[in-house]
Amino acid sequence: MKILHISAECYPIAKVGGLADVVGALPKYQNNQEISSQVVMPFYDNAFTQNNRFITIYTAKLDLGNQSFSFEIKTLNNKKLGFEIFFVAIPELLFTDYVYSTDDTDRFLAFQIAVLDWMLSLKNKPTIVHCHDHHIGLIPFMMTQSVKYKKLQHIPTVLTIHNAQYQGWFSYDKLSLIPKFDMANAGLLDWDQQINPLATAIKCAWRVTTVSPSYMEELKKEANGLESLLQHESAKCVGVLNGIDTDVWNPETDPYIEKNYKISSVQSGKKANKNYLCKRFNLDNKKPLFVFIGRLVGEKGAELLPKTFNLIIQENKSSILLLGSGNREVEKELETLKEKYKGNYNAFIGYDEKLSHIMYAGADFLLMPSRVEPCGLNQMYALRYGSIPVVRNIGGLKDTVIDIDNKGFGIVHQNVSVSDMVYAIKRAEELYINIAKFKKVRNSIMKINHSWDTSAKTYINLYKTLNR
Ligand code: ADP
């Protein structure tokens, strides 16, 4: 079986969030299980493309409405990633220093058309096409409806929804950009009088997965307008919990962190990383260190953070460090707190992969008060690095974190509210001063196995049901 994953992001090439981590790991674990799993993504203008060498394997022109663009399919000239990777290079559209912006409709439509044009030319075509999120949402439609891609219509497609908040909506003004199809089937593109690539993919893909079982159930009740569609299509939908890449996320070998450690050396290992953070960010290393890492958006409960931090820091029992960017107002509020609470609180507004690793390693607790959490990888990284998750009971957090009062190992709160968050942090502070219990919990979480092995197998079994 040959699986082709199509995605806008893939770690370590281009990462905005968890999508990249998944697409950079799942194919590697699938290859270990004796199927051939490949990735195709855009060729962006970034550090990875500047610092690696590529080979061009295919050159052609694509039509986007009445415009024509030259494109190339490139591949890496080494096998470092653990899976074969292909890049679509469209100099005028995709060679950008960003992954997402306001011109995404044209860019990702051209990307999808280029992928299908290239696929048509392949002798050895993929057995399954696996599409990730709305940027790739029109592939299952074009493969079954566009006249040009008739030869691909028998290839099964799988859609994985990493985040249903974003759906890639665009207006009918751009309908002519989609390669010719029978207009009698135009309804497949429509949701609420707009073209909605995520809805289209849910309708046209052979199977739909979400990145955790709880998220699948939650989407049937709240999916930014797609609830009834997901209920209607539920027979082909299933939730498969994401895993983590335990080669990349391993405190024993992680090259980014200050000191490597394993369970037997967790005390000194975490201390060295915590000391580094406390020194760099002027924090008190005697207090428990709470960290937040993530996009500063409503889904992550980011607007709760400034108020919560205010209340917690006033009690002077904890240190807090935040890494993230997003909503400008929230960023400003979090910046303002820095002056007010010097020595107890700090924030790095921006994106920093290395710092995130040190924070998972040096933290005592990780905060995730998410409003919506399709899977959440941060809590799984925190577990592996011995940082206790303090999370809201939602989506993938519900599937991966059990409260200490329920014979579990984390701190779980029910509501997205400042009071719930403050109460959860106070429970964590109490746990921290109960040294024996704290250490026991910390050791136990490092043993939890969230590697991709199990879920990679679940996906392979799903592919097998389609490849009869
Ligand atoms: P998302 O909804 O953002 O995809 P996930 O929990 O699935 O959330 O994945 C988030 C990923 O992005 C994790 O690998 C996390 O460490 C990383 N991340 C998020 N924000 C930042 C940041 N500001 N700097 C570095 N890494 C970040």
Side-chain angles (χ1 to χ4, degrees), residues 26 100 106 170 197:
L26 174 60
Y100 307 120
D106 290 30
F170 60 94

Side-chain angles (χ1 to χ4, degrees), residues 9 15-22 162-163 242 249 293-295 299-300 323-325 348-357 360 368 372-379 381:
E9 300 177 38
K15 170 168 168 177
V16 177
L19 168 63
D21 289 356
V22 172
H162 298 256
N163 194 330
N242 279 341
W249 297 94
I293 300 166
R295 293 180 295 120
E299 281 179 282
K300 301 287 178 193
L323 166 63
S325 63
F348 183 103
I349 302 298
Y351 189 93
D352 189 329
E353 189 72 25
K354 179 173 180 350
L355 177 58
S356 76
H357 284 240
Y360 291 115
M368 287 184 86
V372 180
E373 195 56 84
C375 175
L377 295 168
N378 301 21
Q379 80 281 11
Y381 299 147

Side-chain angles (χ1 to χ4, degrees), residues 163 165-166 292 294-305 325-328 330-331 368-374 392 394 415-417:
N163 194 330
Q165 290 300 109
Y166 311 102
F292 175 95
R295 293 180 295 120
L296 298 174
V297 296
E299 281 179 282
K300 301 287 178 193
E303 80 290 349
L304 303 178
L305 298 174
S325 63
N327 180 300
R328 286 285 136 80
V330 176
E331 282 182 1
M368 287 184 86
S370 305
R371 184 167 276 111
V372 180
E373 195 56 84
R392 177 167 175 245
I394 190 82
N415 302 301
V416 192
S417 67

Side-chain angles (χ1 to χ4, degrees), residues 70-130:
S70 300
F71 76 95
E72 288 180 354
I73 303 290
K74 296 174 184 284
T75 187
L76 260 183
N77 75 343
N78 63 59
K79 293 207 158 61
K80 272 194 261 174
L81 297 179
F83 51 88
E84 226 178 328
I85 183 146
F86 301 98
F87 298 87
V88 174
I90 311 176
E92 288 114 304
L93 293 175
L94 289 179
F95 197 58
T96 49
D97 60 2
Y98 52 83
V99 175
Y100 307 120
S101 187
T102 48
D103 53 355
D104 287 355
T105 301
D106 290 30
R107 291 166 68 236
F108 287 111
L109 244 171
F111 169 64
Q112 295 172 86
I113 291 169
V115 170
L116 293 181
D117 284 358
W118 168 58
M119 223 192 284
L120 273 183
S121 77
L122 294 175
K123 265 203 199 106
N124 179 13
K125 296 194 176 24
T127 327
I128 307 276
V129 168
H130 193 148

